[in-house]
Amino acid sequence: MTLELELHGCRAGYARLEVVHGVTMSVPTGVVCGLLGPNGAGKTTLARVLGGVQPLWGGSLRWRGDDIGRMPARVRAREGLVLVPETDAIFPGLPVRDNLRVFARGTDFSAVLDTFPILAERLNQQAGTLSGGEQRMLALARALLADPRVLIVDELSLGLAPAVAAELFAVVGRRAAEAGSTVVLADQDSDAMLRLASLVYVLDRGEITFAGSSAELAGRVG
């Protein structure tokens, strides 16, 4: 088993407030890994640490054995580790077409329009005027254009209608199955997580309270 990501003793937070307290976790290559927990558990902070937009206060982060704790987010994205943040995931003042062009880097982006047909109807619309679900589709579409080896998605379902959330979860699942990408999903939707993720970490107050298979977690809560 090849490990994609290894986080050891992670401490991180904001200003003087530590939010994540010594978290250790390993994510094998090619799996969907769920970060599950209530609001305020530390999921977003942990996702931001993995994506490089939140600095490590302590501990280490390795990607395929290489220490990337100090690697900037833009470099991680260029190398194939892409974060879809909970907020500020699109350029609201630009049309949908230009949002996609930024990540397509001159290549064709018709494939993501096949995945999200509604975006094809919105190409000339300012991204900030899209519905919440359409904005999350655009954010995910942009990330997929980067052809990520590792896709980290923070709060994919937050505030979305169940049908829209289910559609986005399905896209993420297909990405992992068809492209062999490693996916880390930070979300509160436990039902979707148990269906999609093979490995789950449960966070509470910045600490890991469960680590194991989704089947094992389902047995505990079911």
Side-chain angles (χ1 to χ4, degrees), residues 31-197:
V31 306
V32 177
C33 174
L35 300 179
L36 189 60
N39 188 36
K43 303 187 304 298
T44 289
T45 302
L46 202 52
R48 287 168 59 87
V49 166
L50 295 176
V53 297
Q54 188 73 27
L56 275 170
W57 287 6
S60 63
L61 172 60
R62 292 186 175 276
W63 180 16
R64 296 199 171 188
D66 295 328
D67 190 334
I68 63 166
R70 295 181 180 273
M71 181 184 289
R74 65 182 182 279
V75 178
R76 296 185 199 191
R78 188 167 63 241
E79 295 296 320
L81 192 155
V82 179
L83 169 68
V84 180
E86 175 187 352
T87 59
D88 302 322
I90 61 172
F91 299 129
L94 294 180
V96 168
R97 186 189 308 275
D98 290 344
N99 268 269
L100 294 173
R101 280 175 173 167
V102 168
F103 274 65
R105 299 177 183 175
T107 62
D108 179 52
F109 55 75
S110 59
V112 296
L113 298 181
D114 292 337
T115 302
F116 300 112
I118 191 64
L119 295 182
E121 303 174 16
R122 304 282 193 267
L123 286 176
N124 297 318
Q125 184 173 333
Q126 252 192 356
T129 66
L130 298 175
S131 70
E134 290 166 352
Q135 290 190 27
R136 292 306 276 167
M137 289 178 188
L138 178 57
L140 189 53
R142 295 191 342 158
L144 294 178
L145 282 171
D147 194 23
R149 292 163 55 190
V150 181
L151 179 64
I152 303 163
V153 188
D154 185 26
E155 298 291 5
L156 182 63
S157 67
L158 186 65
L160 301 184
V164 176
E167 180 181 353
L168 295 182
F169 279 123
V171 169
V172 170
R174 286 197 300 271
R175 174 69 197 189
E178 296 172 3
S181 296
T182 303
V183 178
V184 179
L185 278 176
D187 209 274
Q188 297 183 53
D189 189 334
S190 57
D191 290 338
M193 199 73 76
L194 291 175
R195 288 194 302 269
L196 190 60

Side-chain angles (χ1 to χ4, degrees), residues 14-40:
Y14 308 90
R16 296 183 179 180
L17 177 63
E18 185 174 289
V19 176
V20 174
H21 315 297
V23 165
T24 294
M25 56 182 285
S26 299
V27 181
T29 299
V31 306
V32 177
C33 174
L35 300 179
L36 189 60
N39 188 36

